[in-house]
Amino acid sequence: MDVKEIDSKLFTPGPLTTSMTVKQAMLHDLGSRDTVFINIVAHIRQKLLEIADASSDDYTAVLIQGSGTYAVEATFSTSVPQKNAKVLIIENGAYGQRMIKMCDILHIDYDTLSFSETEQVNCKSVEEKLKSTKYTHVAVVHCETSSGILNPIEQIAALVQQYGSDNTAFIVDSMSAFGAIPVSLKNGLITFLISSANKCIEGIPGFAFVICKRAYLLKCQGNSRSLALDLYDQYQYMEKSRQFRFTPPTHAIIAFKQALDELEEEGQLIYPGKTTVTDCFRIGNIGRLYSTDMEILAKCIKDVCVEMNIDLPLKNVD
Ligand SMILES: *Cc1c(COP(=O)(O)O)cnc(C)c1O
């Protein structure tokens, strides 16, 4: 079949522009019990551990239907016991604030440590907070997609280890970093690392995943305030049957397998920048975008700025 790229390029934080081959991978209808499908799911779970530099003895990748938010909510719902828990949410933007909203709705007791949306999380303040109170869980966003700021999760993880109890869980929303910014779970300091199919790995929307420290997850039975968002149940069912509990997003899974293969060929890294306090707009740089796409975009921005009489330092754009 002759299929051409007909859509506009997406400079957005997801869904994003995917390769033609990722789109083409979806031209199959696989049943949820099809061996081919089941093997793809197993392959994806293993590959995710590899990208996270996590040993399969200590970690497991749990896939869950829905967008990234579903996986973040599933992580809170499943990992936080209904009694005697206190969570610290460290936030510097919209996605951190979404965690606060989740904890409110789930009736989870929490403190917040807030920073301006134009600055990184400050480790000194985190240290003081962790010294002052014993938390059962600490949560932070890796790359705050709303601003592009990358938070120092390795340092925060070390502080959680130093000041928390042996069982303090460290939850990282790595939605827009995983697959682009290297991460290592080798030292075991991250308990839950969350991301989704349609961010840096360049799959299509439909499911998200949580890389969970297995020993911790196994203690989470019965915690969940939700049936569908129970990561523990999802894990147990997947381990026993190698299938999803409820209808799996088969096309999104096949597309993701293709995207993982393509990621392996690329090995390319993308780093987010910072914003300013002034009025601004965001340019997504994840997805199937290349330097020529960025040059064309910069040219368009320049044309619009000229048209609107806005003086911008875009001197290098012809
Ligand atoms: C995209 C994203 C999410 C999830 O958003 P969905 O719309 O549910 O996919 C969560 N956190 C961060 C940091 C994100 O970039």
Side-chain angles (χ1 to χ4, degrees):
M1 201 197 320
D2 182 25
V3 190
K4 292 204 177 67
E5 298 278 4
I6 50 168
D7 304 318
S8 326
K9 298 269 177 182
L10 298 176
F11 294 94
T12 55
L16 38 83
T17 296
T18 54
S19 70
M20 186 50 71
T21 33
V22 163
K23 288 187 266 281
Q24 278 167 339
M26 290 186 287
L27 296 173
H28 293 281
D29 299 312
L30 293 183
S32 54
R33 297 185 187 181
D34 193 309
T35 337
V36 173
F37 177 68
I38 284 180
N39 287 338
I40 291 176
V41 171
H43 171 85
I44 288 173
R45 293 182 68 198
Q46 181 53 38
K47 273 284 161 221
L48 291 174
L49 292 184
E50 284 172 27
I51 296 172
D53 190 27
S55 130
S56 54
D57 293 337
D58 300 329
Y59 284 91
T60 184
V62 184
L63 313 185
I64 191 145
Q65 297 94 328
S67 75
T69 305
Y70 291 62
V72 179
E73 192 158 336
T75 304
F76 278 109
S77 183
T78 307
S79 75
V80 181
Q82 296 190 15
K83 283 193 186 120
N84 304 323
K86 180 103 178 168
V87 179
L88 176 64
I89 299 170
I90 304 168
E91 67 88 10
N92 55 345
Y95 289 100
Q97 285 155 18
R98 190 176 290 179
M99 289 175 163
I100 295 174
K101 208 166 176 183
M102 281 174 196
C103 287
D104 277 334
I105 287 173
L106 295 170
H107 301 292
I108 288 172
D109 187 17
Y110 66 88
D111 284 344
T112 51
L113 182 62
S114 295
F115 298 91
S116 140
E117 60 179 22
T118 55
E119 53 180 76
Q120 262 197 332
V121 166
N122 178 291
C123 287
K124 223 56 247 107
S125 317
V126 173
E127 183 170 14
E128 269 152 36
K129 195 79 186 162
L130 291 175
K131 262 187 197 166
S132 75
T133 313
K134 280 277 176 242
Y135 292 100
T136 53
H137 298 67
V138 176
V140 74
V141 172
H142 191 178
C143 172
E144 216 348 304
T145 321
S146 51
S147 59
I149 290 178
L150 197 60
N151 286 318
I153 57 161
E154 286 84 8
Q155 285 98 305
I156 300 170
L159 292 170
V160 172
Q161 183 194 34
Q162 191 177 349
Y163 297 103
S165 74
D166 285 347
N167 277 325
T168 303
F170 184 39
I171 299 171
V172 178
D173 169 352
S174 186
M175 213 64 69
S176 62
F178 187 77
I181 310 286
V183 67
S184 174
L185 302 191
K186 265 273 148 56
N187 63 13
L189 298 187
I190 295 176
T191 323
F192 297 96
L193 187 82
I194 310 159
S195 189
S196 82
N198 64 280
K199 295 276 166 114
C200 299
I201 296 175
E202 302 179 9
I204 68 146
F207 73 98
F209 48 88
V210 188
I211 299 171
C212 313
K213 208 167 186 179
R214 192 186 283 101
Y216 196 99
L217 182 65
L218 288 173
K219 289 184 301 183
C220 294
Q221 184 172 17
N223 283 349
S224 181
R225 288 89 170 153
S226 154
L227 171 71
L229 297 183
D230 189 338
L231 270 190
Y232 174 87
D233 262 8
Q234 184 88 345
Y235 166 73
Q236 289 292 11
Y237 193 88
M238 220 170 240
E239 287 293 299
K240 279 198 201 98
S241 67
R242 306 179 78 216
Q243 295 176 29
F244 280 70
R245 274 183 311 165
F246 311 123
T247 304
T250 45
H251 298 84
I253 296 272
I254 312 171
F256 191 69
K257 153 80 169 59
Q258 177 65 29
L260 282 172
D261 292 349
E262 291 176 21
L263 178 74
E264 209 145 63
E265 286 161 26
E266 245 179 73
Q268 184 175 303
L269 302 182
I270 297 161
Y271 288 94
K274 286 206 176 198
T275 72
T276 63
V277 273
T278 49
D279 284 345
C280 64
F281 53 84
R282 290 192 282 161
I283 297 168
N285 62 352
I286 55 182
R288 189 108 320 221
L289 297 173
Y290 297 96
S291 54
T292 42
D293 296 315
M294 289 301 171
E295 280 157 21
I296 293 166
L297 179 72
K299 168 92 172 57
C300 296
I301 293 170
K302 189 184 179 187
D303 290 348
V304 171
C305 290
V306 169
E307 220 177 278
M308 294 172 72
N309 283 323
I310 297 171
D311 189 24
L312 271 191
L314 280 171
K315 303 222 173 7
N316 296 328
V317 181
D318 325 300

